[in-house]
Amino acid sequence: MASGARILVTGGAGFIGSHLCERLLAEGHDVLCADNFYTGTKANVAHLMGNPYFELLRHDVTFPLYVEVDLIYNLACPASPVHYQRDPVQTMKTSVLGIINMLGLAKRRQAKLLQASTSEVYGDPEIHPQHEGYVGHVNMLGPRACYDEGKRAAETLCADYRRQHRVDAKLIRIFNTYGPRMHPNDGRVVSNFIVQALKGEEITLYGDGNQTRSFCFVNDLVEGMTRVMNSDSDFSGPVNLGNPHEITVRELAERVVAMTGSASRIVYRPLPENDPKRRKPDIGLAQKTFGWEPRVPLEEGLAQTIDYFRRALG
């Protein structure tokens, strides 16, 4: 895509959104960052405020937005269990009403839209690794359903707007992502372990620690997002974006303790309801279609993330 596009990033002051805004500005685009600051912060984009091609707008996507844009990245939604379970009704509204409003904007403007969906649409998967053709194993009545089912409904709406209104809507499914600007209290294992280790607190593991996750550094994810957005209009996805290198949560905790030089000890707590036991993306489609795969090794990404939290925690 040539530089100079007018791009809306909803949830742009969040962890991933702020890195995406940074990338788009570096490519010479005009970026409108919309965020209601429920989980995003102005601090995440403060360094961009002096750029004349960057604009920050306080806006909740559950309400319509009338702006002139060419591309829409819809990232607006709390993405960690701590945050999305705090107000589950609003979480569902953000996913469903938010995508309806953004698809309506895309339809009016004939703009291209990329919907940030999630690996959580697979629920607690019965197949491993998870590929895009798997329809999932989700408890629609559970405490995580506000997020899981909200994102699943958003995918349905994207597919229907594409079929009925010819909106160029693309779907990505984001697997566990980490890096600088993660919220220190978001309840995710990477930020939890690093903050606890740096503070010398007990490292909290849920369950026996043998559940697995696959961690993708944020810069790798942003690269994948832009490749999907810039793809031919015939491609709609969904496409998995994540790192297929799978490790246990206990191994991650031990690695963080070693890398921080912490004296923290690991303690165990009961596993939350519907918490997935295994999570690993099949990224064959992303590799074949876009030549995309993660480049940043876990050790390198963790070092950058630990350095960020050292500075943030003072």
Side-chain angles (χ1 to χ4, degrees), residues 8-20:
L8 169 64
V9 180
T10 70
F15 157 51
I16 294 173
S18 62
H19 286 275
L20 176 60

Side-chain angles (χ1 to χ4, degrees), residues 267-286:
V267 298
Y268 295 85
R269 300 284 184 264
L271 192 68
E273 184 180 351
N274 299 139
D275 192 57
K277 309 300 186 300
R278 301 188 76 182
R279 181 72 83 218
K280 175 182 176 179
D282 179 332
I283 62 168
L285 180 61

Side-chain angles (χ1 to χ4, degrees), residues 99-113 156-169 233:
I99 192 59
I100 288 173
N101 288 328
M102 290 305 107
L103 286 165
L105 175 61
K107 179 187 171 186
R108 286 191 298 273
R109 288 291 311 142
Q110 295 186 312
K112 189 185 294 188
L113 177 143
T156 300
L157 285 160
C158 285
D160 285 339
Y161 263 78
R162 189 176 182 92
R163 282 188 288 258
Q164 185 175 343
H165 300 298
R166 302 291 185 265
V167 172
D168 188 0
S233 61

Side-chain angles (χ1 to χ4, degrees), residues 178 215-218 220 243 245 255 259 293-305:
Y178 72 101
F215 298 100
C216 183
F217 192 63
V218 65
D220 283 332
N243 194 321
H245 175 65
R255 193 171 297 191
M259 291 180 68
E293 60 184 359
R295 302 291 184 190
V296 180
L298 181 61
E299 205 83 9
E300 181 183 330
L302 282 176
Q304 292 189 43
T305 310

Side-chain angles (χ1 to χ4, degrees), residues 165-244:
H165 300 298
R166 302 291 185 265
V167 172
D168 188 0
K170 303 178 185 298
L171 292 169
I172 59 170
R173 290 174 179 164
I174 299 173
F175 283 68
N176 296 70
T177 303
Y178 72 101
R181 299 186 209 135
M182 292 185 80
H183 196 292
N185 301 314
D186 66 5
R188 300 182 190 183
V189 287
V190 171
S191 50
N192 266 9
F193 293 168
I194 292 175
V195 170
Q196 289 169 340
L198 291 175
K199 289 184 174 181
E201 299 172 350
E202 293 178 334
I203 305 290
T204 310
L205 277 187
Y206 294 92
D208 58 10
N210 287 325
Q211 64 269 39
T212 67
R213 295 294 183 267
S214 307
F215 298 100
C216 183
F217 192 63
V218 65
N219 291 0
D220 283 332
L221 174 68
V222 167
E223 174 66 27
M225 294 173 74
T226 58
R227 289 194 190 192
V228 177
M229 175 63 96
N230 297 337
S231 65
D232 188 273
S233 61
D234 289 339
F235 183 87
S236 60
V239 58
N240 291 335
L241 295 180
N243 194 321

Side-chain angles (χ1 to χ4, degrees), residues 111-171:
K112 189 185 294 188
L113 177 143
L114 184 136
Q115 165 66 7
S117 191
T118 171
S119 60
E120 297 301 326
V121 299
Y122 299 122
D124 189 1
E126 297 170 309
I127 67 165
H128 192 79
Q130 295 80 56
H131 60 79
E132 291 86 352
Y134 177 54
V135 296
H137 177 227
V138 177
N139 176 10
M140 74 286 292
L141 302 179
R144 302 170 69 97
C146 58
Y147 183 68
D148 302 357
E149 294 291 359
K151 290 290 191 177
R152 285 162 69 94
E155 288 199 13
T156 300
L157 285 160
C158 285
D160 285 339
Y161 263 78
R162 189 176 182 92
R163 282 188 288 258
Q164 185 175 343
H165 300 298
R166 302 291 185 265
V167 172
D168 188 0
K170 303 178 185 298
L171 292 169

